[in-house]
Structures are given as C-alpha cells and as structure tokens.
Amino acid sequence: MKKKIALWAALTAVALLVTGCASEGPAAAPAPRTPAAGEATSSAGDPAGDSAGDSAGDSVGDKAPGAAAPAAYRKWGLKPFAPPPAPPATKPVVRRPGGPVPVISDIPTTEKIVFITIDDGAEKDPEFVTMMKDLKVPVTMFLTDAAIRADYAYFAPLVAQGHGLANHTLTHPNLRTLSREAQRREICGQQTKLTQRYGTAPRLFRPPYGNWNEDTRAAAGTCGVDAIVLWRESMQIKNMQYQRGDRKLRPGDIILAHFRGPSELKGRTMTEMTTTMLRRIQEQGFTVARLEDYV
C-alpha cells in the first residue's frame, strides 16, 4: 500500500510540473520606504472602498510595487525585468522653497532606467489592472477628470498597488490658450478631486499636449505641484516615437503612453500595447523605476 501511495505522489508531482501548475512560491514583500521630506503620503487606506489588487499590502501612494515572480512575466509573454537600483538618497529633481516648479523630460542619472507614464484615463480595461498586479512594473498615471469621472473606482486598485497618481487637468485643454487664473482652476481643481477620490495629493503635473507657458508654471506652483513632467519618448501602437534622432532610449528617459483601447490602437488592446512597450524597453537593456522616487 505504501508503495502505491508513493508512486501516486510521484506521478502527481510530474503532472503538475508538465502543466505549469507547480507553485514557484510567493514574491518577497517589498521593504517599506520612508517618504522623503515634504512627500505626500496617505493614511486613508483604500478611500474608494475597493481593495482589489492590493494583495501585497501596499499603502496607497507611498510604496513602489514589489518584484514579480517569473511565472507572471511568462503569463504576459515577457522576460523578467532586472530589478531597478535603490532610489537615490537625495532626489535629483527638487523644487526649491519659493523657487519655480521644475519642468523635466528626463531624470539626471547614469543608471539604465526609464520611467513609464500613462495619460488621460479614457480606456478602463480590467485586464490592465490584472497585468499591473502581476508584473509589478511601476507606472505613473496622469489622470484627467473628464476621462475618469464615469468610473473613478477603476483606478483605485492601481493606486493601491503603489502606482503613482498625478494631475492632467480637469478637462484636458490647451493651457497656453487660457489665462493664468483659468489654468489655476484646471490644475488646482484636479488636485482637489484626485485627493478626495484616492486619499493622496498628487505632486506631479503634466500639461495636456505638453503645452505650457510661464503662467502654467506659476499656476501649478500655487496648487502644490513639485514638477511639471514632459517626456522623451511616446508609445504608439507598435513602436515608440523618439524625440532624438538616434531613436534610442537614454538613462532617465520619461516615456509617455495613454489609456487607450482597440478603437484607438487599430484593434489591439491596452495590455498588448503595454507588452510591446515593455519589450522595446527590454530590447535596449533598460529596466523601469518609479518616477516618484526621483522627483
């Protein structure tokens, strides 16, 4: 009888390995990160009441996503990313007290890291939330109220996973066509809405279309913004669009993507576009770091 049980156990183990059902063990929980001086944090927990995607126990807005298991990358047809370096002890981009809001397109660094930013919020693909939970690749979401107001709850799990929450105005106007006060209403109004909805105040702002002027800078400064964030590359349907002629990523580049679906991606999904973007980053030997750790 004992021999039969041993034989059954051995055959079961082989079957699990062949089908890929064997557990690789849980990913290690990320170490807590002490917020930098002046950095906004939240004690509100899960303000939207939706804790889906928060299985790692990340606090809203104050912790980067942890490391993903190799099986998670295989699920999405990707190879594992190298872990990013430890964040710098001193952030390389800082708004000086009383000084103007910095305007950045990249981060000063020699590390082979890039930063992913995703704009607007019109597409709300549930599979993208699952993908981000699985891969734990950090992104920063620059959200526009007009695009997200139909479903604020969609973004709560992404915030809870530790992804950055940032400001992209209330209605997505060309700010250069507005007065300073009108710009202030667009920026400060969205600061208030995002803080109320997700329990954490955004520190970063991106002007729609990348259009800004000194009135934008002054208005943003009155709304608690620490930096205006532009970009060096933008992800299109299958390839990146580069600002530089050599068409290569460089250390510290900020990459722009959008919450887009099949109607804007010629039938491709948000997750397919994201997979392609991550492959393009890997092909050039880069890994992804959390923007908020550097600004």
Side-chain angles (χ1 to χ4, degrees):
M1 186 65 179
K2 291 182 178 179
K3 289 183 178 180
K4 289 183 178 180
I5 292 173
L7 178 60
W8 177 85
L11 290 173
T12 301
V14 170
L16 288 171
L17 288 171
V18 169
T19 59
C21 295
S23 172
E24 299 190 34
R33 183 176 68 83
T34 302
E39 182 175 350
T41 60
S42 170
S43 58
D46 191 11
D50 186 348
S51 60
D54 194 17
S55 60
D58 290 343
S59 299
V60 174
D62 75 344
K63 191 183 293 182
Y73 286 98
R74 290 198 298 271
K75 173 182 174 180
W76 296 99
L78 292 163
K79 297 177 182 178
F81 272 96
T90 301
K91 294 186 178 185
V93 178
V94 177
R95 182 186 178 192
R96 304 299 176 190
V101 176
V103 181
I104 59 172
S105 300
D106 49 51
I107 298 294
T109 182
T110 58
E111 303 278 3
K112 291 202 75 174
I113 55 174
V114 294
F115 304 91
I116 295 175
T117 62
I118 310 179
D119 279 13
D120 302 339
E123 177 67 16
K124 302 169 184 68
D125 183 350
E127 284 297 296
F128 179 73
V129 178
T130 301
M131 182 185 207
M132 292 293 97
K133 180 182 176 183
D134 289 346
L135 297 182
K136 299 177 171 58
V137 174
V139 303
T140 299
M141 304 176 292
F142 287 84
L143 301 180
T144 297
D145 189 65
I148 70 173
R149 67 169 64 123
D151 189 3
Y152 289 120
Y154 171 83
F155 300 93
L158 292 165
V159 174
Q161 288 169 18
H163 299 292
L165 178 71
N167 187 330
H168 199 41
T169 71
L170 287 171
T171 66
H172 207 274
N174 179 353
L175 292 176
R176 286 203 300 237
T177 68
L178 303 181
S179 68
R180 180 178 298 187
E181 178 56 26
Q183 292 193 47
R184 193 193 69 79
R185 288 195 296 269
E186 282 282 341
I187 301 167
C188 291
Q190 182 65 339
Q191 287 286 100
T192 299
K193 282 185 175 288
L194 292 175
T195 302
Q196 290 173 342
R197 288 287 173 179
Y198 303 108
T200 184
R203 298 189 302 105
L204 307 180
F205 168 69
R206 172 170 287 151
Y209 318 106
N211 290 344
W212 65 280
N213 55 24
E214 288 304 318
D215 282 340
T216 313
R217 213 171 180 182
T222 69
C223 301
V225 169
D226 289 337
I228 293 173
V229 180
L230 304 179
W231 61 90
R232 286 294 184 183
E233 293 82 26
S234 60
M235 184 63 201
Q236 304 302 312
I237 297 174
K238 293 185 179 180
N239 290 297
M240 284 195 196
Q241 190 175 77
Y242 297 84
Q243 293 181 357
R244 304 183 186 98
D246 61 5
R247 297 179 57 79
K248 292 180 180 179
L249 295 172
R250 295 185 187 177
D253 277 2
I254 295 169
I255 299 171
L256 165 66
H258 291 83
F259 283 93
R260 288 175 174 162
S263 63
E264 295 177 291
L265 298 173
K266 295 186 177 179
R268 291 166 66 84
T269 65
M270 176 83 181
T271 57
E272 288 173 326
M273 181 272 291
T274 303
T275 297
T276 301
M277 174 172 59
L278 295 176
R279 283 187 184 135
R280 297 292 178 263
I281 293 168
Q282 287 183 328
E283 287 166 0
Q284 297 187 51
F286 285 81
T287 194
V288 181
R290 186 171 183 262
L291 182 59
E292 288 78 2
D293 288 339
Y294 290 75
V295 183

